């Protein structure tokens, strides 16, 4: 597609449920990044993929968070046993590579609300 | 600990005047700096960048200044337009590592 697509755009879930957030990067973009923006906060790095591998998972807040990427394309961020503090906008970005010359293109995000 | 800090949550400027958004960083290994702009319900979009080997980069109405000794960068928008009203994020990276973002500054340009 022309841009980075994220689904769903909005998700309301009950505390304790699992959720899956999807990111479709721009075709040909080998690097894929997940960030989240909580209320009043900046963009917090979660994880990134180069191809299907995740060299840096250091930003994942807890072991309830996991992510995978298949076929060097679609990525899924899974949050198990959601908590209210997981409420945030989850943003995905892709780029042609990880080099400094490669800019990020962001999707519009998934707004997650845990009630 | 915040490695990239934007200490002004908001800024209000009159149309036609200069907007100056500031950003400080703590990691001296950062070698590339960027500004992103974000409208509500949209993802951030790239605005302008600067390498640590430069101290200024200009693109139309937008200029980014880098002061490495002070670990400070700023974004100047002149003249400011109502369409510039958005949240501006400062970001930095060290080599090929993922971007580190600040908390953002909400700019309001008043007609």
């Amino acid at each position: 597609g022309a841009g980075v697509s994220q689904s769903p755009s909005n998700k309301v879930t009950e505390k304790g449920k699992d959720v899956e957030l999807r990111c479709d990067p721009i075709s040909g973009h080998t690097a894929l990044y997940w960030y989240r923006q909580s209320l009043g906060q900046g963009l917090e790095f979660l994880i990134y993929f180069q191809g299907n591998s995740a060299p840096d998972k250091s930003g994942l807040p807890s072991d309830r968070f996991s992510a995978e990427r298949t076929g060097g394309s679609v990525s899924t961020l899974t949050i198990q046993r959601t908590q209210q503090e997981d409420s945030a906008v989850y943003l995905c970005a892709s780029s042609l590579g990880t080099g400094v010359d490669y800019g990020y293109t962001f999707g519009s995000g998934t707004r997650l609300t845990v009630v | 600990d915040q490695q990239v800090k934007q200490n002004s949550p908001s800024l209000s400027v009159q149309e036609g005047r200069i907007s100056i958004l500031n950003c400080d960083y703590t990691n001296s290994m950062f070698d590339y700096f960027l500004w992103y702009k974000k409208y509500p319900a949209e993802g951030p979009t790239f605005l302008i960048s600067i390498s640590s080997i430069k101290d200024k980069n200009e693109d139309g109405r937008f200029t980014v200044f880098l002061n490495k000794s002070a670990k400070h960068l700023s974004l100047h928008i002149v003249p400011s337009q109502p369409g510039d009203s958005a949240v501006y994020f400062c970001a930095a990276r060290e080599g090929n590592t993922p971007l580190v973002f600040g908390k953002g500054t909400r700019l309001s340009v008043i007609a």
Side-chain angles (χ1 to χ4, degrees), chain A residues 8-76:
Chain A
S9 54
N10 278 286
K11 176 74 176 179
V12 180
T13 190
E14 289 182 351
K15 179 181 169 183
K17 300 279 189 187
D18 298 353
V19 294
E20 281 190 357
L21 311 180
R22 177 186 168 108
C23 174
D24 273 284
I26 291 173
S27 178
H29 279 198
T30 61
L32 185 147
Y33 303 83
W34 284 99
Y35 287 81
R36 76 174 176 182
Q37 185 180 16
S38 304
L39 193 62
Q41 302 298 312
L43 276 67
E44 175 190 4
F45 169 75
L46 299 178
I47 188 172
Y48 90 96
F49 292 89
Q50 177 56 41
N52 292 333
S53 301
D56 187 352
K57 302 179 182 179
S58 63
L60 292 176
S62 74
D63 57 9
R64 296 185 296 104
F65 287 72
S66 63
E68 66 174 11
R69 188 179 186 195
T70 54
S73 181
V74 172
S75 176
T76 303

Side-chain angles (χ1 to χ4, degrees), chain B residues 35-80:
Chain B
W35 285 92
Y36 279 77
K37 176 178 177 179
K38 185 181 185 301
Y39 292 117
E42 295 182 11
T45 55
F46 170 74
L47 191 57
I48 193 169
S49 63
I50 188 167
S51 162
S52 61
I53 63 172
K54 296 186 174 181
D55 55 17
K56 177 182 174 182
N57 188 26
E58 194 170 352
D59 183 2
R61 297 186 296 115
F62 303 92
T63 303
V64 56
F65 295 92
L66 175 62
N67 182 334
K68 281 189 298 182
S69 60
K71 294 193 182 71
H72 178 83
L73 65 155
S74 60
L75 173 68
H76 292 209
I77 306 173
V78 57
S80 301

